[in-house]
Every structure is written in C-alpha cells, then in structure tokens.
C-alpha cells in the first residue's frame, strides 16, 4: 500500500510538472537557441584569436624578432597573426575555395596542430605576465580611474553581441564582401566599388562568417581596439611611467564614439593598431639598431596598407624619418623597410589589377565598370569647405562639435584633445634628444599626426564625403601620448592663486563621467544581454 501511495505521488507530481511547463514554457527553453549561438560566437572568436597568435608567433621567429619583454611578443604576435589571417582569406578566395566547410575545417585543424605544439601553454604564460603588469599598474590607480577604464571596455564588448544597426559601412561592405565571397565560393569581378578597397579586415571576417558567426567578426574588431590600447599603455609605461600611461588610457576612453565603433565589424581599429605598432617598432629600431625591429615595422606598415588607401601616411612617416638620418645609412634601411611593406601589401593591389584592371581601383586609372563621369561623381570634388580661411580655421572646432560629420555615431571624439591641444603642441615642439627613446617616439608621433591631419584636411577641403572624423582615429589615438604628457605638465603652470592643474583634472573628470554615462544609456537601450540570451 505504501509503495502504491509513493508511486501515485510521483505520478501526480510528474503530471503537474509536465503540464505546467508545457503551458508555461520556461525561459531557458526560449533562450536556448540564442544562448547557444552566443556561446558559438565566443568559441569561434577564441579559435580565430588562438590561431592568430600561433601564426604570429611563428612569423616573429622567422624574422628573428628579439624583444626584451614577453608582453611585446604577445601584443605583436596577435596583430601579425590577424593580418596573416586576412592574407590567408584572400588566398582561399583567389583559388575559389572560400566555402564554409573548407574554412571551418582549416581553422579547426590549425587549432588542433597548435594545441599539439603546446601553444596554449605559451599563450597562457604571456597573458598571465600581461595581467600581472596590469594588476600592478591598476593597484596604483584610484577607484574612479578603474571604473573609467573598465566600464567603457565592458560596454564595448557587450555591444559586440548585438546586430550593428548603426554600422552603415559594415552592412555596405565590411560584412557584405565576405558574405558575397562565401556565396560565390571565391573572388569575382563585382560591380561594387567598396569591395575593391584594400580589404585585409574583411578577409579576416571571412573566417568568422565562414564559421557561421557574424558577431565573431565584431569581437575581432574589438580585439584590435583592445590591442591598440594595450600597446599604447605598454609603450608609455616603458618610456615614461604608469601615471602618464594612466592619463593616456583615460584620454582614449574619453572619446565618446570609441566603445561603439570598436564593437562594429569595421576597419578603423585595425588601422589604428597597425599604425601604432609600426611607429612603436620603428622607434625602437632607431634606438636598438636591430634589423628585426625594422623588418617587423615594415610588416606592420604593409598590413596597414592592406586596410585602407588612406594608410599611405604610415609608411610615408617611417620613410621620411629614415631619410632624415645619414644618407648613406638611410638608403639601405629605407630599401629594406619599403620592400617588406610593399610585399606585404601587394596582394590587395594585384587582386585589383587582375580583376578590375586597376591596382588602385576605382581611383587614378579607372577600370572595369568605371569611367571619368563616375569618378567625378564618386569623389564629389568641389563639395568640401574649399580654401575658405575662416572655415579652415574653424575646422578643429567643427570637427569636435560633429554637426557636419557624415555619420553621427562614429565621429564623436569629445572635447579633451582640443582643450589640451596647446599643451600637446608644446610637448611635441620641445627640444629633446632625438636619439633617445622618448625623443624618437615623440618625433615619430609628431610627424605621423601632422601628415595624417594634413591629408584629412586636404580631403575635407576638396570633398564633403571625406568629412568623417573617424578617419582621424589613427592620429588621434597615438596623439594621446603627447597629450597625456601635456596634461601631466600642467602643474608647471600652477601659481599660488590659481591651480590650473586642479581645474583641468576636475574638468576631465566631469567629461569622463558624462561620456561614460552617455555610453551606458546607449548600451541599456540596445540591451545586449537580451540579445545574447
């Protein structure tokens, strides 16, 4: 009798539970598909980043790259590996093997080989070293600084999990190009102008889309932004101190559009990274005279030239600085640097020449589907601000205000760089020994930023289509170093009646608070966790 009662109780319980959850379906069942897709997104991103590290590590060995710290190997090998994945994506597209199955199998086999070669242990050791240095630095920062740095990082990562509603160019070609390549199984002569821009980043995203994860492409772009910030922090920490590094990072996170832009599958953060890496490597080559640093700088410059046509400023800066030294010594170094940079960038221009009849398609020579009329229409020549002295003088302020920018979300750079601009110029113009690491770094940053700003200004003078503040991000991000030094030097201007450093610190704290709050509101509106689940 007791057994029957227990059996009836269990049956009754089972019926009630089953009936209840058939009618009132648990949230886990509704969220399972989305959660599984998010977990797959994270796994795909992890596989691609692991393989990128493995490839980059081996390329550093080929170049016999010697660095004093493992942090250099970690931050540079990831960048080299991601650039190499872009070239591999182009190779698979060119031989018409760009289909989901082939790309997925290739990445899985590559990951297995690297695991068997104990790459994971080496990666973990390098990451632990980086984490230890970051922990030591963060232990010296106050709570406000920690929140100001970690919250934008968190916001940006969460935004990688949502569809890029505002990312116009991602839907125009950054993601559309690799999707079309997958549909056709390889390259073809498409009548779509942006498809033929240098497309290293799009061919990295090809692997993510081939593994059925568009959002993994957004995570890859976010990683380029993270690597850029870490490389700046490492550069400044080595040459100056953790306080200047803190100010450098705070200036970066004060850029309102950065967390949003970094979360999109764009090309901008990749270009920022390769520009910073090129100048970092080039600066240390001039100090150490080690050829491996010069070769790596050339490689990074070549990757930059594979991202955007506007990247010509990166190798031009290094070339001018090389030629500024003793002529007899400069020519061989410039030749080696240029050769590696050109060989690395060449595949994108050969692709254009083969398919469209113009290595710089659609500029300079026209090409397939193109003529002079379309060239004039596309360039929008004569629609810019022209050589109006007042407009040129007001350009920095109008750029910061953003009301004339081609897009709203990705062009906001905040007021701090403009506020601190006089002190930035003062730092750059100070006479320092050019053969020192600090002086060489500031010289390279000054030349690169000047060329970048001049090129962008000429573009805006000629065409309204080039009024896009995000094109300044490579120069702006690296200008954070002299701007942070200028910020730190404000104490020299304090008097007994006016402490300008205190007022500036208070103003910067207010700007950071407002920027973080605005980004928090944007993230809450997008509700990324709901999408993730």
């Amino acid at each position: 009798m007791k057994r029957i009662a227990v059996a009836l109780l269990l049956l009754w319980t089972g019926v009630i539970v089953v009936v209840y959850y058939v009618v009132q379906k648990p949230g886990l069942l509704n969220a399972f598909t989305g959660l599984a897709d998010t977990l797959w997104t994270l796994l795909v991103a992890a596989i691609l980043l692991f393989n990128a590290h493995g490839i980059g590590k081996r390329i550093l060995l080929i170049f016999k790259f010697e660095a004093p710290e493992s942090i250099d190997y970690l931050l540079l090998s990831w960048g080299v590996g991601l650039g190499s994945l872009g070239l591999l994506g182009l190779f698979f597209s060119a031989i018409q093997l760009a289909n989901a199955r082939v790309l997925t199998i290739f990445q899985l086999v590559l990951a297995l080989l690297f695991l068997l070669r104990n790459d994971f242990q080496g990666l973990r050791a390098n990451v632990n070293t980086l984490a230890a240095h970051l922990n030591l630095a963060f232990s010296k920062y106050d709570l406000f600084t920690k929140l100001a740095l970690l919250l934008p990082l968190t916001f940006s990562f969460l935004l990688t999990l949502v569809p890029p509603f505002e990312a116009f160019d991602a839907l125009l070609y950054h993601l559309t190009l690799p999707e079309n390549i997958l549909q056709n199984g390889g390259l073809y002569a498409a009548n779509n102008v942006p498809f033929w821009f240098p497309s290293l980043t799009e061919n990295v995203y090809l692997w993510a889309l081939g593994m059925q994860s568009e959002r993994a492409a957004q995570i890859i772009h976010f990683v380029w932004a993270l690597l850029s910030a870490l490389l700046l922090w490492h550069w400044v920490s080595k040459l100056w101190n953790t306080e200047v590094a803190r100010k450098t990072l705070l200036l970066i996170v004060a850029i309102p559009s950065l967390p949003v832009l970094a979360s999109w599958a764009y090309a901008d953060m990749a270009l920022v990274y390769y520009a910073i890496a090129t100048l970092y490597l080039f600066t240390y080559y001039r100090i150490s005279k080690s050829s491996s640093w010069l070769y790596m700088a050339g490689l990074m410059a070549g990757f930059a030239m594979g991202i955007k046509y506007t990247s010509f400023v990166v190798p031009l800066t290094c070339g001018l600085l090389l030629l500024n030294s003793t002529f007899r010594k400069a020519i061989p170094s410039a030749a080696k640097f240029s050769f590696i940079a050109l060989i690395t960038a060449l595949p994108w221009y050969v692709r254009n020449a083969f398919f469209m009849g113009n290595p710089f398609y659609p500029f300079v020579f026209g090409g397939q589907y193109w003529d002079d009329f379309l060239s004039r229409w596309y360039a929008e020549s004569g629609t810019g601000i022209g050589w109006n002295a007042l407009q040129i003088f007001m350009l920095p302020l109008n750029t910061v205000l953003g009301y004339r920018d081609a897009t709203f979300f990705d062009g906001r750079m905040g007021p701090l760089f403009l506020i601190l601009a006089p002190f930035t110029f003062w730092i750059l113009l100070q006479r320092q020994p050019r053969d020192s690491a600090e002086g060489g770094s500031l010289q390279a940053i000054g030349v690169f930023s000047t060329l970048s700003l001049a090129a962008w200004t000429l573009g805006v003078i000629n065409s309204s289509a080039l009024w896009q503040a995000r094109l300044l991000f490579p120069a702006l991000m690296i200008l954070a170093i002299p701007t942070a030094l200028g910020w730190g030097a404000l104490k020299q201007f304090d008097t007994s009646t006016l402490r300008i450093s205190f007022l500036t610190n208070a103003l910067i704290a207010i700007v950071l608070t407002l920027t973080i709050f605005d980004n928090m509101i944007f993230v809450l509106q997008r509700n990324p966790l709901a999408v993730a689940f």
Side-chain angles (χ1 to χ4, degrees):
M1 189 67 182
K2 185 177 181 180
R3 292 181 178 179
I4 295 175
V6 171
L8 289 174
L9 178 61
L10 291 175
L11 178 62
W12 171 253
T13 303
V15 169
I16 295 299
V17 169
V18 169
V19 170
Y20 176 80
Y21 283 114
V22 166
V23 177
Q24 301 284 344
K25 292 180 175 61
L28 180 60
L29 293 179
N30 294 328
F32 181 78
T33 302
L35 184 59
D37 184 69
T38 297
L39 292 175
W40 175 247
T41 293
L42 297 176
L43 179 60
V44 169
I47 291 172
L48 293 177
L49 290 171
F50 177 67
N51 288 343
H53 173 267
I55 295 171
K57 174 183 174 182
R58 283 153 179 82
I59 293 177
L60 291 182
L61 290 175
I62 292 173
F63 280 90
K64 297 180 180 179
F65 180 69
E66 299 176 358
E69 299 181 49
S70 60
I71 296 177
D72 290 302
Y73 281 101
L74 178 65
L75 299 180
L76 296 173
S77 63
W78 250 330
V80 171
L82 287 171
S84 301
L85 282 182
L87 292 174
L88 277 173
L90 175 61
F91 174 75
F92 275 79
S93 301
I95 63 174
Q96 304 298 307
L97 280 180
N99 67 72
R101 181 175 297 179
V102 171
L103 297 180
T104 301
I105 291 174
F106 180 83
Q107 288 295 334
L108 293 177
V109 170
L110 195 62
L112 180 60
L113 289 175
F114 288 151
L115 284 171
L116 293 175
R117 297 296 299 272
N118 296 322
D119 277 41
F120 181 74
Q121 286 79 358
L123 174 60
R124 183 172 61 181
N126 288 340
V127 170
N128 287 340
T129 301
L130 174 62
H133 281 76
L134 286 171
N135 286 333
L136 180 61
F138 267 58
S139 67
K140 302 175 183 179
Y141 299 161
D142 55 33
L143 179 61
F144 177 81
T145 297
K146 293 176 182 177
L147 290 175
L149 296 178
L150 293 177
L151 285 177
L153 179 69
T154 304
F155 295 158
S156 188
F157 175 75
L158 289 175
L159 288 173
T160 63
L161 303 178
V162 300
F165 292 150
E166 303 86 4
F168 177 81
D169 283 355
L171 303 178
L172 176 66
Y173 73 100
H174 292 305
L175 291 177
T176 305
L177 170 58
E179 181 64 31
N180 284 5
I181 290 175
L182 287 171
Q183 290 175 359
N184 290 276
L187 285 173
Y188 65 102
N191 185 13
N192 189 321
V193 173
F195 281 15
W196 303 102
F197 295 161
S199 45
L200 182 142
T201 51
E202 290 77 14
N203 279 269
V204 177
Y205 302 153
L206 175 67
W207 297 101
L209 269 63
M211 299 176 76
Q212 310 301 314
S213 179
E214 291 184 0
R215 291 187 294 171
Q218 299 185 153
I219 293 178
I220 296 298
H221 191 244
F222 166 79
V223 168
W224 264 312
L226 181 60
L227 290 174
S228 301
L230 289 172
L231 191 54
L232 279 177
W233 168 82
H234 179 57
W235 189 353
V236 176
S237 296
K238 278 205 306 186
L239 293 191
W240 286 277
N241 52 60
T242 55
E243 176 60 18
V244 179
R246 180 184 75 91
K247 288 182 168 64
T248 302
L249 293 180
L250 287 176
L251 287 169
I252 291 172
V253 299
I255 302 174
S257 60
L258 186 60
V260 179
L261 179 61
S263 70
W264 295 342
Y266 266 38
D268 298 87
M269 291 299 107
L271 182 56
V272 166
Y273 169 80
Y274 290 114
I276 293 172
T278 300
L279 295 181
Y280 172 72
L281 288 160
F282 181 79
T283 297
Y284 272 89
Y285 158 70
R286 299 176 75 190
I287 303 303
S288 67
K289 305 301 181 183
S290 173
S291 296
S292 63
W293 287 79
L294 178 66
Y295 300 154
M296 289 301 302
L299 185 68
M300 294 296 191
F303 285 141
M305 293 166 66
I307 296 173
K308 289 187 177 185
Y309 288 129
T310 55
S311 63
F312 74 91
V313 179
V314 178
L316 178 60
T317 298
C318 297
L320 291 175
L321 291 173
L322 281 171
L323 295 176
N324 189 42
S325 58
T326 305
F327 184 79
R328 182 177 297 178
K329 296 180 180 178
I331 294 301
S333 299
K336 293 174 184 177
F337 171 85
S338 301
F339 177 77
I340 294 175
L342 289 173
I343 289 296
T344 305
L346 192 61
W348 311 106
Y349 301 90
V350 171
R351 175 203 64 176
N352 288 3
F354 181 81
F355 283 94
M356 308 305 288
N358 175 7
F360 309 104
Y361 187 86
F363 306 109
V364 185
F365 303 119
Q368 191 171 180
Y369 308 122
W370 210 249
D371 55 32
D372 291 338
F373 171 78
L374 288 175
S375 180
R376 290 192 297 270
W377 166 79
Y378 191 79
E380 296 187 33
S381 181
T383 62
I385 61 176
W387 293 97
N388 184 311
L390 179 60
Q391 288 295 323
I392 294 174
F393 178 78
M394 293 294 294
L395 186 58
L397 178 60
N398 289 333
T399 303
V400 168
L401 294 178
Y403 72 97
R404 295 187 63 174
D405 205 282
T407 57
F408 169 75
F409 289 101
D410 54 32
R412 297 167 296 148
M413 58 179 59
L416 292 187
F417 283 91
L418 189 57
I419 290 172
L420 296 170
F423 304 99
T424 304
F425 294 143
W426 176 60
I427 291 293
L428 290 173
L429 294 175
Q430 278 186 324
R431 297 183 62 85
Q432 297 190 30
R434 296 308 182 190
D435 57 348
S436 68
E438 296 88 344
S441 296
L442 291 175
Q443 183 189 40
I445 292 169
V447 172
F448 173 72
S449 301
T450 301
L451 291 175
S452 298
L453 293 171
W456 183 79
T457 301
L458 286 174
V460 171
I461 287 172
N462 186 59
S463 173
S464 60
L466 291 176
W467 194 304
Q468 300 179 53
R470 65 184 172 90
L471 298 178
L472 291 171
F473 269 26
L476 194 67
M477 293 278 281
I478 204 165
L479 267 177
I481 295 177
T483 304
L485 290 169
W487 177 6
L490 286 176
K491 291 182 179 180
Q492 300 180 29
F493 299 91
D494 287 345
T495 65
S496 57
T497 57
L498 179 63
R499 292 180 58 196
I500 188 173
S501 62
F502 173 80
L503 295 176
T504 304
N505 289 338
L507 174 64
I508 291 174
I510 293 171
V511 171
L512 281 167
T513 301
L514 294 175
T515 301
I516 292 170
F517 184 80
D518 284 345
N519 284 324
M520 181 179 67
I521 295 299
F522 182 82
V523 172
L524 290 175
Q525 290 172 339
R526 294 303 307 274
N527 199 4
L529 290 179
V531 179
F533 281 87

